[in-house]
Amino acid sequence: MAFEPLPAVPDHSALENEVLAWWDSEGIFDKVREQNRGAERFSFLDGPITANNPMGVHHAWGRTLKDVFQRYKALRGFDQRYQNGFDCQGLWVEVEVEKALGLNSKRDIEEYGIAEFAERCKERVAHYSEVITDQDRRLGRWMDWENDYHTFSDTNISYIWGFLKAVHERGWLYKGHRSTEWCPRCGTSISQHELFAGEYKELEHPSLNVRFPLKGREGEAIMIWTTTPWTLPANVAAAVKPDAEYVLLESGNWVAREAYPDEKATRSARGEELVGLEYEGPFDYLPAQEGIVHRIIAWDAVSMDEGTGIVHIAPGAGSDDFDLSRVHGLSVLVPIDESGRMLPGYGPFEGFSTDEVADIVIEDLRRRELLVDSGRITHRYPTCWRCGTPLVFRVVDDWFIACDEIRQPMLDENEKVEWTPDFYSKRMADWLRNMGDWNISRKRYFGLPLPIYPCDCGEVNVIGSRAELDERATAGLDQLRELHRPWVDNVTISCQSCGKDLHRIPEVGDAWLDAGIVPFSTLGWQNPEWIPGGYATGAAKGLSGADLPDHAYWEQWFPADWISEMREQIRLWFYSISFMSMTLVGSSPYRRVLTYEKLLDETGREMHRSWGNSIEADEAFDRMGADVMRWQFCEQNPGQNIKFGYGPANEVKRRLLTLWNSVSFFVDYANVANWSPGDTGELEPLDLWLGSRVEQLVAEMTDAYERYWTPDLVASFERFVDDLSNWYIRRSRRRFWNSDPAALQTLWSALVRAVVVIAPVMPFLAEHLWRALRADDAPESVFLVRWEEAGERDEQLLAEVAATRRVVDLGRQARAASGLKLRQPLRRLVVEGAPLASGHGDEIRQELRVKEVEFAPVEATELRVKPNLPVLGPKLGKELGAVRAALEAGEFEELPGGGVRVAGQDFSADEVLVERTGKEGWAVASADGITVALDTALDAELELEGRVLDLIHELNSMRKASGLALTDRIVVTLPQSASDLLEHEDWIKEEVLAVEIRTDGGSGEPEIAKA
């Protein structure tokens, strides 16, 4: 058979587009699914990507990892679900639509019209669902793209309603009045897990020290520090640490001694002695402050790390402050509205934003001589995870789910989950131990409508499904297009206690409720019969054909065997699906998790368009190729941030070229020999080694796939390709020139097996190479091949060749250190510490171009040993000096494995630094207990052979540059000055396929011509 030749280098982008088209035209994915249908199941649950912008390269990391392991499981024959998910509602969609429409506030949205705004949100989701689908396909991801789940479907919403009703029936649902993080731009509260997911940015704020004069103590005041001047008009108290020492400075201001250790003081007191003192508030003249009595309270949590040690308390503008108001009976003044502007009752500050009011407040304090000093401070400050606006605190009414009862069950269930990397299990546990109650309500528009209908009679009615809404509705069903605002707002129900008609609360739900329910809504939990298209309802109708399965299907596929998302999802999706699953069925919705960190640019900076270092996914697909992107993602330890960019991509291309060249080498020589798979000859030891090496590769790759650890996949494969190219092929070149069928069969078999095991990581290149290599009776696609388990291997032979290669590597290091090029033959090599390589002296001799190889103690070295200070310093302490002196004096004994015995103690190889240098006339290299020494002396015979090898290299380079075929014979013309090389004429002819060598050239340079 004839194999299709490969170009010199792959055009990754063009190759990938060709493979994509071929997959589609041949229906390869459908064939894979059909081949595995009905087999043992592997359940993967896809965390939804938000359909509000194109996919970024950071998304591509996680989506690559998902695809890698789904493809691997498909090769293993597992039946799988391939349902992609899209998050479709909530702030992330709303904010982008606002930007597109030029809307800047909630008032703008209401003037635009909530119904029209909802339509624009749906249009954006529909558009970017298609964009992301195209990008995912380009990445190489295989999913059932016609049956995606969209979280804004009525079915998904109905399932969430069922969860909320279950929460209500357990007594966990409540309306809370508390101080919460608030985004003034979005006009809504931010939950605890959203706050962690958002960015803390380095922001500059005012920094001021302010005097609060004490009542009844002439000339005395307490001094507070704040970076939020807008909160001062709402001050009601000041807090001190009861057991801390406070001092009265000469200026008349009380501060904590720890905060001002060097200032002169006239008096001191413990914090508890100051508690109860009253002071004049900074803005007592404001109407909002009428009737407020300002006093000093005790608070054990007062920090001495910054400020004055006295904290100004404004319960309406801070979470801790609000909690203190409950303890001490303090008034709560709320100074800002939902857009972050000062409310009526605050005099000259009314109507100004929290930023705008700062200078006005500072100037007012300065005028009344209450401002001690002011400046600017840069510090980390929380911002809205969606729009980037700095957050403030507001006291509002929100709906919460209490977490205390479910906390320990979630912790217990987390212990059963296998996390990769494993330390993420502790992070999940830490989050669960410290999580607050779940704030589920948002004062927004296009989101999950919370099915809560409070009644004046005290009954809180919670609707548990769309069917229950239909049953209990008293009006509005005729206009209910879907379960979204404004249509759902118009549906009234009757109170189950008093019968009164009720309206739904206007709030929508936390977006993580939408994604958290998918282990139930997409699998048909408690659904009595299968409904075709039954998931793609409401806003999702027409976007997908997703069915609503029945409960039996859910039992087959729940829980997920494996899920994967980035680390921040610990507090987001992992948390929400766990919380909802534990509530509904009392168990975790997943068994194993793969988690990964952040994507940075190749210098380690975060990517931002404004910095000019951002890489768009489509650009990366075109410029580096999806396989190269996937390789970067897979070689990265997921527990560390990845440095992604074109520099690393070019390095990956360079490394992948070794595999490409190996296949190209095989194809060229197989075609010259007219060889076909199955045409075997007598195997040589090197063939047996490669056969074992392939089985070792398959075993290592299988182990890494089963552990969900891609770095080991890449490392194992690259080691194999190096062995294949730089040992087997190079050591067997003469056999390929002679069309040896055993060598061709061995190389072909190795390449075919290698392409299969790496296919999940780089599906395009693997498919292309499979099609170049496949036998006529083999499956048409590499992904239709059945995974072959690793067979028996000769571990002794593998160890011997590994030791031999290590000796050769050290020999090359020794050559490089001495300045001797590899083509210069040498007389002698001495090897110590590599007994496994002793039976491979001929290979070592040929690889290092030495006449003799001797396995014996190396005496041509000078050995210097130093203590490894970071290791031995802490271990030895005062004894280190004596050990160092003994080592410097050479008073030590070498131990097996690279360690030494000195001053009566044994030290391992990692506790000492060993340096071996060659004596004059020798080049030495040493590592891992192996030492090699090269005799660098040259004589006339060796120098002549070196020149011959230089000529052979030059002539073969000329052959390649002139485009000659592998089998073309040539005539060589040498300058007269090179005539002495003809002493090795036959050798030269054999190496360059020359039929004649002439020495009458006058150019001074060698010349070749086709014979």
Side-chain angles (χ1 to χ4, degrees):
M1 63 177 287
F3 296 92
E4 184 70 28
L6 301 180
V9 295
D11 180 339
H12 286 277
S13 184
L15 177 155
E16 290 164 3
N17 281 306
E18 187 277 328
V19 169
L20 280 171
W22 182 78
W23 281 343
D24 285 345
S25 67
E26 300 301 318
I28 300 300
F29 177 49
D30 291 337
K31 292 176 181 178
V32 169
R33 296 191 70 186
E34 186 58 36
Q35 179 172 283
N36 294 338
R37 198 177 308 279
E40 182 181 352
R41 286 181 290 274
F42 174 75
S43 180
F44 165 73
L45 183 66
D46 185 41
I49 185 172
T50 308
N52 70 329
N53 274 311
M55 183 172 75
V57 289
H58 61 292
H59 295 115
W61 186 3
R63 298 174 92 73
T64 290
L65 294 176
K66 295 175 183 182
D67 188 63
V68 165
F69 292 103
Q70 283 208 274
R71 285 180 180 271
Y72 166 68
K73 290 295 183 179
L75 286 169
R76 298 300 302 253
F78 285 89
D79 191 1
Q80 299 182 70
R81 298 177 69 252
Y82 291 88
Q83 190 173 31
N84 174 72
F86 288 114
D87 247 335
C88 306
Q89 57 191 12
L91 264 180
W92 30 37
V93 176
E94 286 195 55
V95 169
E96 294 299 328
V97 171
E98 287 180 74
K99 291 178 184 177
L101 296 175
L103 308 179
N104 296 307
S105 67
K106 292 170 70 173
R107 178 180 296 177
D108 287 349
I109 293 174
E110 292 172 3
E111 290 177 355
Y112 181 81
I114 297 176
E116 285 300 309
F117 184 72
E119 292 300 323
R120 301 294 85 75
C121 289
K122 290 189 289 183
E123 289 168 3
R124 186 176 185 90
V125 167
H127 172 71
Y128 282 107
S129 295
E130 292 185 4
V131 169
I132 293 170
T133 297
D134 290 342
Q135 291 178 307
D136 250 334
R137 289 176 182 268
R138 181 64 187 84
L139 180 64
R141 194 167 182 226
W142 273 351
M143 296 298 276
D144 185 4
W145 297 114
E146 304 304 317
N147 294 293
D148 303 316
Y149 72 80
H150 294 75
T151 60
F152 63 5
S153 80
D154 278 6
T155 302
N156 203 67
I157 291 171
S158 184
Y159 266 92
I160 301 169
W161 285 6
F163 161 77
L164 292 174
K165 184 164 188 175
V167 164
H168 176 56
E169 289 172 347
R170 293 190 181 197
W172 298 353
L173 183 69
Y174 70 94
K175 186 177 184 179
H177 180 74
R178 61 176 62 180
S179 181
T180 185
E181 290 87 356
W182 185 272
C183 175
R185 186 243 168 263
C186 297
T188 190
S189 55
I190 302 294
S191 69
Q192 185 181 8
H193 55 262
E194 288 174 314
L195 179 63
F196 278 105
E199 296 183 352
Y200 272 77
K201 296 179 180 177
E202 293 289 332
L203 299 180
E204 186 181 86
H205 284 126
S207 171
L208 50 156
N209 288 319
V210 181
R211 299 175 66 250
F212 294 170
L214 290 172
K215 292 182 177 180
R217 301 180 73 155
E218 186 69 26
E220 296 182 23
I222 55 174
M223 187 169 74
I224 64 93
W225 171 74
T226 185
T227 61
T228 53
W230 66 272
T231 64
L232 287 171
N235 171 267
V236 300
V240 295
K241 191 178 182 70
D243 59 355
E245 180 187 5
Y246 288 82
V247 293
L248 182 65
L249 304 179
E250 292 181 339
S251 61
N253 297 323
W254 283 93
V255 295
R257 167 56 77 190
E258 187 175 340
Y260 290 82
D262 300 324
E263 294 287 328
K264 290 184 179 180
T266 61
R267 205 159 71 244
S268 69
R270 285 171 59 85
E272 61 190 2
E273 297 176 55
L274 302 178
V275 171
L277 295 180
E278 296 180 4
Y279 63 88
E280 297 174 11
F283 293 99
D284 283 346
Y285 68 87
L286 296 176
Q289 285 281 349
E290 185 176 353
I292 300 297
V293 176
H294 300 82
R295 59 190 172 90
I296 299 175
I297 62 174
W299 186 25
D300 290 331
V302 170
S303 172
M304 299 295 170
D305 294 338
E306 57 185 359
T308 68
I310 304 177
V311 181
H312 122 76
I313 304 298
S319 178
D320 290 334
D321 307 50
F322 184 80
D323 291 342
L324 286 170
S325 74
R326 300 283 183 91
V327 174
H328 295 281
L330 304 176
S331 299
V332 178
L333 303 182
V334 180
I336 57 175
D337 63 15
E338 68 173 23
S339 64
R341 295 189 173 276
M342 301 294 284
L343 287 165
Y346 287 88
F349 313 129
E350 180 180 332
F352 289 100
S353 72
T354 55
D355 284 339
E356 294 167 345
V357 81
D359 287 341
I360 305 173
V361 167
I362 292 171
E363 185 55 38
D364 188 297
L365 293 169
R366 178 180 287 112
R367 178 177 56 80
R368 292 185 291 117
E369 298 183 346
L370 296 178
L371 182 68
V372 178
D373 55 59
S374 66
R376 306 289 291 180
I377 186 173
T378 299
H379 56 168
R380 287 177 58 78
Y381 194 85
T383 61
C384 177
W385 60 273
R386 187 64 266 167
C387 71
T389 301
L391 300 179
V392 295
F393 276 90
R394 287 190 75 226
V395 175
V396 293
D397 292 336
D398 278 321
W399 288 87
F400 293 84
I401 300 175
C403 296
D404 287 343
E405 286 186 32
I406 203 171
R407 188 186 314 275
Q408 191 56 50
M410 290 184 72
L411 282 164
D412 294 341
E413 200 68 10
N414 183 59
E415 289 293 318
K416 304 175 185 177
V417 175
E418 188 170 335
W419 288 79
T420 304
D422 59 3
F423 59 80
Y424 287 117
S425 175
K426 183 179 182 301
R427 291 196 183 181
M428 181 64 162
D430 288 344
W431 166 250
L432 295 175
R433 288 190 189 94
N434 296 293
M435 66 183 181
D437 290 349
W438 188 352
N439 182 338
I440 62 167
S441 59
R442 304 289 181 272
K443 293 171 171 47
R444 294 294 301 187
Y445 306 98
F446 188 68
L448 162 77
L450 292 176
I452 303 172
Y453 296 75
C455 183
D456 293 340
C457 73
E459 181 72 28
V460 175
N461 297 263
V462 177
I463 297 296
S465 67
R466 169 63 195 264
E468 184 180 349
L469 181 67
D470 291 345
E471 181 182 327
R472 294 183 56 183
T474 58
L477 285 180
D478 56 334
Q479 56 82 57
L480 185 58
R481 297 168 48 180
E482 61 192 60
L483 298 181
H484 280 111
R485 301 187 68 189
W487 306 285
V488 73
D489 294 346
N490 299 325
V491 179
T492 57
I493 69 167
S494 60
C495 176
Q496 62 187 8
S497 291
C498 69
K500 180 180 178 181
D501 273 6
L502 303 175
H503 284 275
R504 191 189 72 85
I505 62 173
E507 285 89 345
V508 296
D510 178 10
W512 294 105
L513 291 166
D514 302 331
I517 200 64
V518 295
F520 300 90
S521 61
T522 62
L523 299 177
W525 180 65
Q526 292 192 340
N527 184 43
E529 59 181 341
W530 194 292
I531 304 175
Y535 182 89
T537 54
K541 190 172 184 179
L543 297 182
S544 168
D547 297 342
L548 178 61
D550 55 24
H551 187 76
Y553 184 85
W554 177 84
E555 290 181 331
Q556 290 177 333
W557 294 97
F558 181 93
D561 293 304
W562 179 75
I563 60 174
S564 178
E565 297 294 337
M566 72 180 304
R567 180 252 303 158
E568 68 178 19
Q569 297 299 333
I570 287 173
R571 297 183 175 97
L572 301 171
W573 191 57
F574 297 155
Y575 166 66
S576 65
I577 60 174
S578 298
F579 192 111
M580 298 174 87
S581 182
M582 289 297 298
T583 299
L584 295 176
V585 297
S587 64
S588 173
Y590 49 83
R591 294 188 175 101
R592 298 187 69 160
V593 186
L594 172 62
T595 307
Y596 52 95
E597 286 293 326
K598 288 186 176 181
L599 183 142
L600 309 174
D601 74 8
E602 58 190 87
T603 68
R605 297 176 72 206
E606 292 192 11
M607 286 189 180
H608 291 285
R609 288 187 180 90
S610 60
W611 294 353
N613 66 342
S614 179
I615 299 176
E616 302 299 325
D618 291 343
E619 174 195 330
F621 294 144
D622 290 341
R623 287 187 57 185
M624 66 176 70
D627 276 336
V628 173
M629 294 172 65
R630 292 169 69 112
W631 198 269
Q632 288 186 72
F633 296 142
C634 288
E635 72 176 338
Q636 174 64 32
N637 181 331
Q640 299 171 358
N641 293 336
I642 185 174
K643 295 180 180 179
F644 179 88
Y646 293 108
N650 290 334
E651 173 60 20
V652 169
K653 288 182 179 180
R654 185 191 65 78
R655 301 202 310 266
L656 290 179
L657 197 57
T658 304
L659 174 65
W660 180 270
N661 288 340
S662 298
V663 176
S664 181
F665 176 91
F666 163 79
V667 167
D668 290 345
Y669 281 97
N671 285 338
V672 167
N674 194 27
W675 179 87
S676 295
D679 180 6
T680 61
E682 186 175 346
L683 298 179
E684 296 189 6
L686 196 58
D687 303 328
L688 298 175
W689 166 78
L690 184 57
S692 284
R693 187 66 184 85
V694 170
E695 301 306 332
Q696 184 182 45
L697 169 71
V698 174
E700 291 175 353
M701 298 287 278
T702 302
D703 175 68
Y705 279 121
E706 293 296 329
R707 290 185 290 112
Y708 298 95
W709 194 249
T710 56
D712 283 357
L713 290 174
V714 172
S716 176
F717 190 77
E718 289 190 340
R719 288 194 302 269
F720 172 78
V721 172
D722 179 65
D723 279 346
L724 178 78
S725 173
N726 294 320
W727 195 254
Y728 183 80
I729 291 178
R730 199 177 72 250
R731 299 275 319 137
S732 305
R733 281 186 181 275
R734 195 171 303 280
R735 297 173 64 198
F736 290 112
W737 294 344
N738 295 329
S739 300
D740 183 337
L744 289 165
Q745 177 70 37
T746 300
L747 179 56
W748 177 82
S749 298
L751 289 169
V752 166
R753 292 283 297 283
V755 165
V756 172
V757 297
I758 201 61
V761 174
M762 52 173 202
F764 298 106
L765 193 59
E767 188 73 274
H768 185 83
L769 295 179
W770 171 262
R771 291 161 61 197
L773 291 167
R774 64 178 285 268
D776 292 337
D777 60 349
E780 59 187 311
S781 167
V782 69
F783 295 102
L784 291 170
V785 177
R786 285 301 189 198
W787 188 269
E788 188 175 343
E789 297 294 346
E792 293 184 3
R793 54 190 184 271
D794 189 334
E795 297 287 2
Q796 177 66 24
L797 180 58
L798 289 169
E800 288 178 8
V801 175
T804 301
R805 289 212 65 191
R806 192 71 184 102
V807 169
V808 171
D809 287 342
L810 288 172
R812 290 180 179 143
Q813 291 177 28
R815 273 184 173 274
S818 65
L820 289 169
K821 56 190 176 184
L822 187 58
R823 286 191 295 274
Q824 175 59 61
L826 297 173
R827 187 63 61 191
R828 182 176 175 223
L829 173 75
V830 181
V831 180
E832 179 182 350
L836 287 172
S838 60
H840 298 268
D842 285 345
E843 292 101 307
I844 296 171
R845 179 176 55 78
Q846 293 163 13
E847 287 293 313
L848 295 178
R849 300 198 191 281
V850 295
K851 301 297 184 181
E852 303 172 20
V853 176
E854 180 182 354
F855 287 85
V858 173
E859 299 177 351
T861 63
E862 294 178 353
L863 181 65
R864 294 174 184 168
V865 182
K866 299 178 182 178
N868 187 350
L869 294 179
V871 178
L872 282 189
K875 177 179 179 179
L876 294 179
K878 295 180 179 180
E879 299 178 30
L880 178 63
V883 171
R884 188 205 301 258
L887 290 173
E888 289 177 352
E891 298 170 354
F892 58 84
E893 176 186 349
E894 290 186 75
L895 299 175
V900 298
R901 177 172 296 146
V902 59
Q905 299 186 64
D906 291 353
F907 299 105
S908 62
D910 64 341
E911 293 177 316
V912 292
L913 304 175
V914 178
E915 179 184 352
R916 294 181 185 270
T917 58
K919 295 180 180 178
E920 186 174 353
W922 291 85
V924 176
S926 178
D928 305 323
I930 301 175
T931 301
V932 301
L934 276 169
D935 182 351
T936 59
L938 297 177
D939 54 32
E941 178 188 358
L942 294 174
E943 289 176 341
L944 180 64
E945 288 183 10
R947 290 174 57 213
V948 169
L949 288 167
D950 285 341
L951 175 65
I952 290 170
H953 176 75
E954 183 178 4
L955 294 175
N956 278 327
S957 296
M958 295 170 67
R959 283 183 60 101
K960 186 174 182 179
S962 61
L964 291 173
L966 290 173
T967 55
D968 287 343
R969 266 45 181 178
I970 61 174
V971 174
V972 176
T973 302
L974 299 178
Q976 191 63 41
S977 60
S979 60
D980 59 334
L981 301 181
L982 294 182
E983 181 179 335
H984 297 285
E985 181 176 1
D986 291 341
W987 178 19
I988 298 170
K989 286 180 176 179
E990 183 178 8
E991 295 291 337
V992 302
L993 298 185
V995 297
E996 181 183 359
I997 300 179
R998 304 169 182 168
T999 57
D1000 56 353
S1003 68
E1005 297 293 334
E1007 298 175 354
I1008 65 170
K1010 185 176 179 181

